[in-house]
Amino acid sequence: LETPDSGEIIIDGESYSPNFYSTTTNLDGYWQLRTHLSYGLPIGFLKSNFNVMAGVIYTKTPSMLGGAVDAAIHHDPEGYIKFITDEIKLAIGDEKDDFKACCLNVQRSMDLIEHSLDIVKMEEKGMYGYVGKVNMDCNSPEFLIETTEESLNETEKYLAAHEGSKKIKTILAPRFAPTCSEKLITGLGKLAEKYHCGVHTHLVESIWEAQEALKLFPGYGSDAEIYERAGLMDHGPSIFAHVIFPSEEDKRIMKKHGSISVHCPDATVNIIAGIMPLQQMASENLKIAIGSDLAGGHGLAIYRQVARAVQLSKLKEFYEPNESKTITITQAFYHATKEAGSVFGKVGSFETGYAFNALVIDNMEDPWTKMTAEEKLERFCYIGDDRNIKARYIDGELLEQEF
């Protein structure tokens, strides 16, 4: 390989003229603002969906030519490429996945909850889940903030309307401590006692959140204590998303109440929150589940999060070897199934007495070599998709392939 003064690149005696030169400068400053709307209409006889999608994207991005060259080519003094893209798509396709158990939070009003989530229909599908109304009465965008009284009243309406739900159960869902007043958290604790329901929120998901919670709740020793003192952890499951920077007091309180910490790998990467010290927490007998967190994550498939959990544990050990160690695929799978399923009862295992909830997986083995069940599972978690899912069972019943 030679690069003469003319700028030509010579490889094995042949001369090549590159289309442009990359100087690998001006690489900071990329950002993108996008809005997107998608609507899907089931088409029964095709067992598929008709999807209509529309969106607008504004992008500001540097190229790799260098500031002065960019400025001349793109007529921008800062050397950025700026453009607006709009798109409309029509498609027939499917979104088949392993979405059988969930914990969902829905914003603001009863009207929105009733129109966006039909708990009866979710139960008819055989799903397991906890559904809660999000509460925020401070430090949030104006269009999301409720008064404390409004938030508590709307929450009680929701809880009262769905008493007696079986598989899809109600749960309390304060956004997180920095967006809730002490009066609101205390009021939710009283509703927990009255309606016998648990709590789902985010806990120590970032350094800022951990610090801000204690700043707004003076006199409390930890993020978890805010919910414990209000009685939110006494009457049902306590499910905490992320739990990246737990203090010793947070861990003590979670162990006392048998709380579930939900590791959401894609989400914590997308929002640059950090990486849960999963192996260390597991070694301290803290319960851990694997989640997708569609607020910050970008896909429902838990099996993909199993693979991501292993990958992030490797990064955690590499960069912070004193904080946690690498986990195996089987350990990650355990957290995603049996340990996560424990919040719904005897779910998540093929042991006697457990609900038979299963995916039938195929086409993961190369024809020229035999693979163990563990190897097939690992391959599916890393590179599998809905084409490999041949059947789904919930409570022993084969689900119809609707989409």
Side-chain angles (χ1 to χ4, degrees), residues 124 229 310 386:
E124 288 175 352
R229 197 186 295 186
V310 175
D386 61 273

Side-chain angles (χ1 to χ4, degrees), residues 20-21 23 25-26 63-76 79:
F20 63 86
Y21 302 111
T23 58
T25 62
N26 196 34
S63 80
M64 298 177 67
L65 302 180
V69 179
D70 277 328
I73 294 175
H74 304 298
H75 309 289
D76 182 82

